[in-house]
Amino acid sequence: QEHVCSLPKVPFRGAPCSDAAGSQVPYAAIMKQVNSSLSGLLWDEVQKAPFYEYKDSDGQFHQVWFDDPHSISLKAAYVKSRGLRGIGMWNGNSLDYSREAAAEQQTQAMWQALTP
């Protein structure tokens, strides 16, 4: 109810942001799942990022955090306003590059958000 999600303690695997406690989900899967999730789309004002919560077929609750065009544009605007030299995006290959109209629109919006 308070949107608190605990991560299991896992051994360090050599990267500051280990995937041992979670996994990467393609953006297309996120866009399909968010609409049928328990919570619907939620927004964290501190992180400036969207997330949602769902329950899997075993009854286990999950929380999915991601960036969307809005959150990326806020981060890109911050970089620009501070005169920083650039911005990076983690795993742009997780976007949906199929020829479906919705996928093309989502992917284009994500890349455009990097240039405020």
Side-chain angles (χ1 to χ4, degrees):
Q1 289 180 344
E2 289 92 30
H3 307 293
V4 174
C5 184
S6 301
L7 293 176
K9 187 172 182 171
V10 295
F12 181 68
R13 292 182 11 184
C17 189
S18 175
D19 64 352
S23 60
Q24 181 174 306
V25 179
Y27 191 68
I30 289 172
M31 292 295 95
K32 289 177 184 169
Q33 190 177 45
V34 70
N35 293 328
S36 62
S37 67
L38 290 172
S39 64
L41 185 65
L42 300 169
W43 180 261
D44 184 272
E45 191 57 38
V46 174
Q47 300 297 322
K48 305 288 190 216
F51 68 102
Y52 65 92
E53 299 162 339
Y54 73 95
K55 189 171 16 173
D56 66 20
S57 58
D58 295 330
Q60 181 73 30
F61 284 95
H62 298 269
Q63 197 172 71
V64 178
W65 288 76
F66 60 100
D67 274 309
D68 64 5
H70 178 64
S71 64
I72 289 176
S73 67
L74 292 173
K75 293 166 187 169
Y78 177 86
V79 166
K80 187 175 183 179
S81 73
R82 298 294 190 266
L84 302 176
R85 293 185 162 236
I87 187 170
M89 187 171 71
W90 187 259
N91 291 347
N93 61 338
S94 291
L95 296 173
D96 185 351
Y97 292 100
S98 70
R99 297 286 183 214
E100 295 178 24
E104 285 183 339
Q105 179 200 23
Q106 290 169 354
T107 298
Q108 183 180 15
M110 290 289 274
W111 285 109
Q112 286 176 342
L114 285 170
T115 54

